[in-house]
Amino acid sequence: MLEKIFNLKERNTNIKQEAIGGMVTFLTMAYIIFVNPNILSTTGMDKSALITVTCLAAIIGTLIVGFWANVPFAMAPGMGLNAMFAFTLVLKDGATWQQALGVVFLSGVVFIIISVLGLRHKIIDAIPESLRVAIGSGIGLFIAFIGFKQMGLIVANDATLVGLGHFTPALVIGLIAFFVTVMLEHYKVKGSILLGIVLATVLGFIFDPNISLPTNFISTPPSIMPILGQMEVLSVLKISFIAPIFSFLFVNLFDSIGTAMACSMEAGLVDEDGKMPHVKKVLEADAVATMFSGILGTSSTVTYIESAAGIANGARTGLSSVFTAFFFLLAMFFAPLIGTVPAYATAPALILVGIYMAKHLVKIDFSELYLGVPVFLTLLLMPLTYSISSGIAYGFSSYVLLCIFTKNTDKIHPYMWGIGFFSILEIIISQM
């Protein structure tokens, strides 16, 4: 039966190989079980329910992509998108977390529509590569900034807006865990980010009087009823929410296409013409999973680049995704322990993921100002305004305007005119 479903012999693999690959993928991305609830709970959402929902979103998305596309990929709530959900849309812009879930759901609906209409690559091609890189790198700077804030390295300062924090148990433990995680990553230890979170939590139990061991380590998964189906769709069907919906869509689209292409090449799933016919199904699975995320009660689901770790260890088919989903299922029963993990323990994960996202900055061309200025605005405004959507809006709008005034309108793709218009509209609305 497994051979029929997943074509194991054709991909030159077996059940054992797929199981190992699936386990490795889980270990490298399991940090999201700790990080996502810590981030989203800042909006007032129930943290215990978020632990279960994070695992459920990962299970559903991973199973969909495994069975529908038969690829060794895994999905879970995306880093950057969860920060955008909590720190930008809710805490900065004043939306309720129920409205933010509605934005997630609608972005999934639009994602499905453009997938069916075949507009995915046209939208991607409309945006200059340097701007696409700037968006991913800017998100990396943003979530790293959040990580520094959570561990207390960066604090508010009346004179300079931000400044260095004083040494506290949280900061010392966070810094130790960060450097240990970096060393583990350097020596390619599987699950290094997860191990860093575990180390920081253990040190917290020992040295931080505010952290204590739970009475139970294993229990029935917490109920998801406090957040299940709480999304508000009708209240976000207004002009002021157009920009957030499309910002979620753009980030999800860039992330998924880039990850799908990288992992496909790693797994040898590219045909003789260099094409990846399964990518369409991967993006469709991502879109459906994002809709489910909004319904369940979490931020958008994306394909995880950590899937490449499982691929490097032999994963070649969707069967490895089934094994990854199974490990997420087991993780739900450790919610009491996961719930005690402090924010400073997950801060190193945010910083390191931010570094990985920012490493593509070397690809950006700053030689032409009509492109260099929008790129710079995108990079800088995301962390400084605590808003991914603001960085995207100023980047897109300034690109279109500068191309017009520098007589480089031939550089503007037809689709980019529409994207630029909505970006300018978003800036105007946000200032009203």
Side-chain angles (χ1 to χ4, degrees):
M1 183 181 70
L2 292 176
E3 171 57 36
K4 274 188 175 182
I5 296 173
F6 298 109
N7 301 321
L8 301 179
K9 290 181 181 177
E10 182 183 322
R11 301 268 181 96
N12 193 29
T13 185
N14 54 58
I15 295 174
K16 180 182 177 181
Q17 190 170 309
E18 295 297 294
I20 293 173
M23 181 181 66
V24 170
T25 295
F26 169 77
L27 288 174
T28 56
M29 64 182 289
Y31 63 86
I32 195 61
I33 304 171
F34 304 88
V35 177
N36 198 55
N38 268 344
I39 290 177
L40 297 190
S41 62
T42 60
T43 66
M45 300 176 76
D46 186 278
K47 185 176 180 180
S48 296
L50 282 167
I51 294 171
T52 304
V53 165
T54 299
C55 292
L56 284 176
I59 291 167
I60 292 171
T62 302
L63 288 178
I64 290 174
V65 76
F67 281 105
W68 177 239
N70 191 22
V71 289
F73 298 170
M75 293 186 178
M79 293 291 290
L81 285 162
N82 49 14
M84 185 175 173
F85 180 107
F87 299 109
T88 299
L89 196 51
V90 178
L91 298 179
K92 178 180 176 293
D93 296 339
T96 65
W97 60 263
Q98 292 90 342
Q99 289 175 320
L101 290 176
V103 168
V104 170
F105 177 81
L106 289 176
S107 71
V109 172
V110 177
F111 199 165
I112 290 175
I113 292 172
I114 66 172
S115 296
V116 172
L117 296 178
L119 299 177
R120 300 177 312 275
H121 286 287
K122 291 180 180 178
I123 292 174
I124 293 293
D125 292 340
I127 301 167
E129 182 183 5
S130 290
L131 261 180
R132 296 201 300 266
V133 172
I135 291 172
S137 299
I139 293 172
L141 297 178
F142 177 46
I143 64 175
F145 185 82
I146 293 169
F148 287 130
K149 180 176 178 290
Q150 286 188 345
M151 70 165 60
L153 183 62
I154 293 176
V155 297
N157 185 295
D158 291 336
T160 61
L161 293 182
V162 294
L164 285 175
H166 298 292
F167 283 116
T168 62
L171 177 54
V172 174
I173 291 171
L175 288 174
I176 291 172
F178 173 66
F179 284 108
V180 169
T181 303
V182 170
M183 288 298 99
L184 292 173
E185 278 285 290
H186 175 75
Y187 290 107
K188 302 188 184 305
V189 176
K190 298 294 185 297
S192 55
I193 295 179
L194 176 62
L195 291 173
I197 293 173
V198 171
L199 171 64
T201 304
V202 171
L203 291 176
F205 290 146
I206 299 172
F207 298 107
D208 189 344
N210 299 315
I211 306 297
S212 58
L213 283 168
T215 53
N216 296 312
F217 287 87
I218 301 176
S219 72
T220 304
S223 171
I224 64 174
M225 295 311 295
I227 56 178
L228 175 65
Q230 296 296 311
M231 64 179 185
E232 293 182 6
V233 176
L234 294 179
S235 66
V236 299
L237 292 175
K238 54 181 69 171
I239 294 176
S240 59
F241 282 99
I242 290 177
I245 290 171
F246 279 92
S247 293
F248 272 83
L249 172 66
F250 284 136
V251 174
N252 200 340
L253 195 59
F254 299 156
D255 197 318
S256 295
I257 288 180
T259 299
M261 292 176 66
C263 291
S264 295
M265 288 187 283
E266 181 75 20
L269 300 176
V270 182
D271 61 25
E272 294 178 356
D273 299 323
K275 296 180 179 179
M276 293 166 279
H278 60 274
V279 168
K280 180 176 182 291
K281 288 188 174 182
V282 172
L283 295 178
E284 290 168 350
D286 200 339
V288 173
T290 293
M291 286 180 58
F292 271 109
S293 296
I295 296 170
L296 288 171
T298 185
S299 52
S300 304
T301 304
V302 301
T303 307
Y304 263 60
I305 192 63
E306 283 82 357
S307 303
I311 292 169
N313 281 268
R316 291 295 179 271
T317 73
L319 181 57
S320 73
S321 301
V322 175
F323 281 108
T324 301
F326 172 72
F327 287 116
F328 272 106
L329 176 64
L330 292 180
M332 289 195 298
F333 293 90
F334 292 89
L337 183 59
I338 295 170
T340 63
V341 175
Y344 60 76
T346 57
L350 292 173
I351 298 167
L352 191 58
V353 171
I355 292 170
Y356 280 137
M357 294 179 73
K359 69 180 181 181
H360 299 292
L361 283 169
V362 293
K363 299 178 182 178
I364 294 177
D365 179 14
F366 283 97
S367 61
E368 296 289 349
L369 283 179
Y370 75 86
L371 183 57
V373 170
V375 163
F376 185 76
L377 290 175
T378 301
L379 287 169
L380 200 61
L381 289 179
M382 283 188 187
L384 292 187
T385 64
Y386 240 60
S387 173
I388 292 172
S389 58
S390 292
I392 292 174
Y394 274 91
F396 287 168
S397 58
S398 62
Y399 173 73
V400 172
L401 292 173
L402 284 171
C403 281
I404 292 173
F405 291 119
T406 59
K407 299 180 181 180
N408 281 292
T409 52
D410 59 310
K411 306 290 186 183
I412 304 176
H413 189 282
Y415 280 76
M416 195 63 192
W417 287 105
I419 295 171
F421 171 77
F422 282 113
S423 297
I424 294 171
L425 186 63
E426 195 272 335
I427 293 171
I428 295 171
I429 292 171
S430 66
Q431 296 299 318
M432 293 175 64

